[in-house]
Amino acid sequence: MSGNDETSKPLIDDDYILIEDEATALLPPRCEREWLVLVVDDDPDVHQATEFALRGMEVEGRSLRLLHAHSAAEARQRIVEIDDLAVLLLDVVMESEDAGLKLVEHVRRDLMRKALRIVLRTGQPGYAPEQETIRDYDINDYKTKSELTRIRLYTMLTTAVRAYRQMRAHEDMRRGLETVVRASTELTKLRGMQLFAQGVVGQLCALLDVQPAGLICAQEAHPGDLMSARVIAAAGPFQHLIQRPLEELEVAEIQSSLKACLAERRSYFGATLTLYFASESGCGLAAYVEVRRELDELDRHLLEVFCASMAVGFENVQLYARLVDQAYVDPLLKLPNLNRLLEVLDQAQSASGDLTLALLDVDQFSAINDTLGHAYGDMVLRAIAARLIKGLPGCTVARIGNDVFGVLGPGTQVHADALTQLLVENFEIESQPVRLTACLGLVEQAGSKRRGNELLSDAHVALKQAKQHQRGSSVCYSQSMGQDVRERMHLLTGLRDAYGAHHLFLVYQPKVKLSDGSPSGIEALMRWRKDDGQYVSPDRFIPLAEQAGMMATLGTYVLRSACQQLARLRVAGYTQLSMAVNVSQAQLREPDFISVLRKAIEDSCLPPEQLELEITESMAAEDLALLRHLLGEISALGVKVAIDDFGTGFSSLSVLRHLQAQRLKIDRSFISEMAQDDSIARMVIGLGHTLGMSVTAEGVETPEQAQALREMGCEEAQGFHFGRPMEELALLQWLAAPGPRV
Ligand code: C2E
Ligand code: CA
Ligand code: CA
């Protein structure tokens, strides 16, 4: 290097450029193999002399590399460019008498370069800065050039370099920790594992000041199960692996280091970096980053802090995921729940398409649950869920209530026939074939701009209608149905008025002994005749009254009227007839039911054994314990009990055995099918007798049915063949001259 004249500048520049080139070619940035010292002096000889004096010298195992600036102005520029400059060997007098000191001020105050060590040199004594300045600007040393022998210069530089290294380490550490803290705060805002993992890697690279050449984050699905590990975030060449099993990672080396990290639950620091993030659940997370530079102690230390701090964030993300899970996933079936379905519906609303929402309500589910146990009920739900998911690929299948599923999908897939068809095949539960049906309520989105909850409520309206028909029914929502709801409201008001205006009354249908055709009793049935003379069917208004909370009032009225009627019949000489009264579930649940019953009997002075209450099987399914208790009390009063509509419910034999009932009434659907198949009628009669009950056949319409039932040993029959439900006067006539006897 020759720097004798003014032309030396470019040479030095070249030199510097050379160093830079080497640095990029051989060394990654910030890998400090050399201590960089900037010599600032307007005297070229000084540069040369310094160069000569320090040739071959090393400090702490690293050589010194001198860079050169020939004016304060040039030095300013250099300092900004060289981030890891260790020492400034600075001439005081250059462009001006205090150019050196001005530069010092600039370095400390404007550039905030705290770690950079500054050694001032001056040709002439007398330009020494004030003590204060030395302290304020943190100047390491002040020497006259003549003082600086080779040895002294070296010793002084060694001290300065050491100080620099220490301060720099401090600074880096502080900056690193700040990054970690910032990273944690940033990352905790990221919801979802994948975002978090990506965020971790981004922050990690920022911390290490590297561009990730490749990175992979893998997480175990089950604690300690390496085979279950999946890639949850990846960048660069590994991007395609996101959500794939770790096993599929082609680069064996990376795969094995991630696995080792997960297995041993610790981080590995090397040219490639594998970090372990522990989690409370035990499902560890491992991140692999190719950093392409050696990590020093500081890096490692920071990484450890980083991992510990990220592990907390990781934990939070998992916790959050669990919370989301709880809010949006049904815990039993792991299906989307109502909240989630509403979200999906709202999202679907903006997308155009012909989506249909179907609600599917499992028939008799509470009966299944109560008679066969909750575990069995769960199995039923699982079986149905599995069938729906398999049969409706691509559709959303949600569980939105106890036994109600919601299905959302294109109208070509989600329609009544398809859904009904899906359930036709027997289910297998506990290796037993089981037939399950469900009622369906459907609503087509059909470009309507209705919100999710509105669609859902329409579907509910349709479902409710379907449930009023027989099992397995389906109803598609139509505009008129909203009208139907209004009609029902109208009907309900009408019912209230009718009760007040005595438009509700009782009719009586006779029952006969099949042995000789003599009248054995009558059943009271409620009627509602509207002002216009039209009748409303009890099948229609009784469920309405139950829903509206009117049934207790109506039931009491029926009970008392029936008792009074029976008392009148007794007075008329019909002392052996029994009176059957239908009792609804809502009525039974009234806490004062027994006292109402007792009072009705007392007030009409009836022998209690001539009163018979008809209850349905489904009540046994609702609350067996309550029912058993009530039946005990009813029996204690001497009142009889009949199980109505037997065979249509889901009660099991064991339930039947526990009920104190004296009579079974075979549902009329089994009587009407007797000509084709009389096996159920036969079975029910046999069953009743086995349990010590007498049996009544309902809905007997032909002499053949009566004949067949008599041959089967059925005691009693009721139906249009013998007599229709009649008002008091007609009944008295019928009793005086009864219709067909057998
Ligand atoms: P249910 O208790 O099964 O009553 C028998 C129903 O079958 C009556 O219908 C009766 O008219 C009808 N029926 C009787 N014989 C025949 C026949 O030979 N063929 C056909 N096709 N039908 C026959 P109704 O009066 O319309 O009552 C319907 C249901 O409403 C009753 O079924 C009962 O569950 C309920 N209900 C009626 N009155 C009352 C009441 O006062 N209280 C309660 N809780 N429910 C009542
Ligand atoms: Ca009945
Ligand atoms: Ca019945």
Side-chain angles (χ1 to χ4, degrees), residues 523 525 582 614 644-645 665 698 718:
E523 178 180 357
L525 294 160
N582 293 285
E614 297 194 358
D644 205 356
D645 304 340
K665 293 186 82 175
E698 292 185 312
Q718 181 184 14

Side-chain angles (χ1 to χ4, degrees), residues 506-507 509 523-527 537-539 542 546 551 558 581-584 587 614 616 644-645 665 667-668 698-701 718-721 723 725:
L506 293 182
V507 290
Q509 186 176 32
E523 178 180 357
L525 294 160
M526 213 183 332
R527 291 292 175 265
S537 161
D539 282 329
I542 285 179
E546 285 191 324
M551 204 52 221
V558 171
V581 177
N582 293 285
V583 175
S584 89
Q587 223 177 320
E614 297 194 358
T616 57
D644 205 356
D645 304 340
K665 293 186 82 175
D667 189 69
R668 68 167 184 268
E698 292 185 312
V700 176
E701 292 181 348
Q718 181 184 14
F720 295 170
H721 173 58

Side-chain angles (χ1 to χ4, degrees), residues 600-636:
I601 298 166
E602 283 168 8
D603 288 353
S604 45
C605 304
L606 288 182
E609 60 280 2
Q610 275 179 259
L611 184 62
E612 191 168 282
L613 302 184
E614 297 194 358
I615 61 166
T616 57
E617 286 178 274
S618 53
M619 288 184 211
E622 286 278 312
D623 190 343
L624 186 57
L626 174 70
L627 186 64
R628 284 181 64 176
H629 169 76
L630 280 169
L631 293 190
E633 295 210 37
I634 293 168
S635 290

Side-chain angles (χ1 to χ4, degrees), residues 263-481:
E264 288 165 37
R265 298 171 184 274
R266 69 178 192 87
S267 301
Y268 288 88
F269 303 100
T272 63
L273 187 62
T274 324
L275 298 176
Y276 183 76
F277 302 89
S279 93
E280 251 170 39
S281 69
C283 295
L285 177 90
Y288 165 93
V289 190
E290 217 167 279
V291 289
R292 290 199 183 152
R293 78 170 169 79
E294 239 171 71
L295 299 173
D296 59 22
E297 203 154 327
L298 172 73
D299 291 326
R300 287 177 189 214
H301 187 79
L302 277 177
L303 283 171
E304 265 153 26
V305 178
F306 181 79
C307 285
S309 145
M310 287 309 114
V312 176
F314 180 49
E315 208 62 55
N316 284 339
V317 170
Q318 282 185 321
L319 183 70
Y320 181 77
R322 270 205 300 281
L323 287 177
V324 169
D325 213 55
Q326 273 164 18
Y328 291 105
V329 178
D330 174 69
L332 176 71
L333 303 180
K334 303 288 173 229
L335 289 182
N337 64 6
L338 177 64
N339 289 339
R340 180 69 194 127
L341 181 68
L342 280 172
E343 269 193 4
V344 175
L345 280 172
D346 280 340
Q347 285 158 9
Q349 184 214 350
S350 43
S352 58
D354 70 323
L355 290 178
T356 297
L357 169 67
L359 299 188
L360 187 145
D361 185 316
V362 185
D363 289 324
Q364 309 276 317
F365 183 72
S366 43
I368 296 172
N369 238 354
D370 282 12
T371 56
L372 301 169
H374 282 255
Y376 191 89
D378 290 353
M379 284 188 266
V380 165
L381 293 176
R382 280 199 195 95
I384 292 178
R387 181 79 57 94
L388 291 176
I389 290 165
K390 191 167 168 232
L392 299 163
C395 299
T396 303
V397 177
R399 183 189 183 202
I400 62 168
N402 209 14
D403 58 341
V404 183
F405 291 90
V407 175
L408 182 71
T412 46
Q413 266 178 295
V414 181
H415 55 86
D417 283 351
L419 292 172
T420 311
Q421 202 53 40
L422 265 183
L423 302 181
V424 161
E425 202 184 305
N426 276 347
F427 288 80
E428 200 179 285
I429 293 164
E430 287 194 310
S431 344
Q432 294 292 319
V434 178
R435 201 175 126 52
L436 294 169
T437 56
C439 282
L440 294 169
L442 299 103
V443 58
E444 285 166 12
Q445 190 191 28
S448 75
K449 281 272 160 265
R450 299 173 73 72
R451 289 189 54 81
N453 54 0
E454 292 172 326
L455 276 179
L456 195 67
S457 96
D458 290 351
H460 267 298
V461 167
L463 178 64
K464 229 170 177 180
Q465 290 236 328
K467 282 166 75 173
Q468 278 165 17
H469 307 148
Q470 83 251 36
R471 288 188 246 163
S473 300
S474 56
V475 168
C476 206
Y477 179 84
S478 66
Q479 220 64 54
S480 64
M481 243 171 243

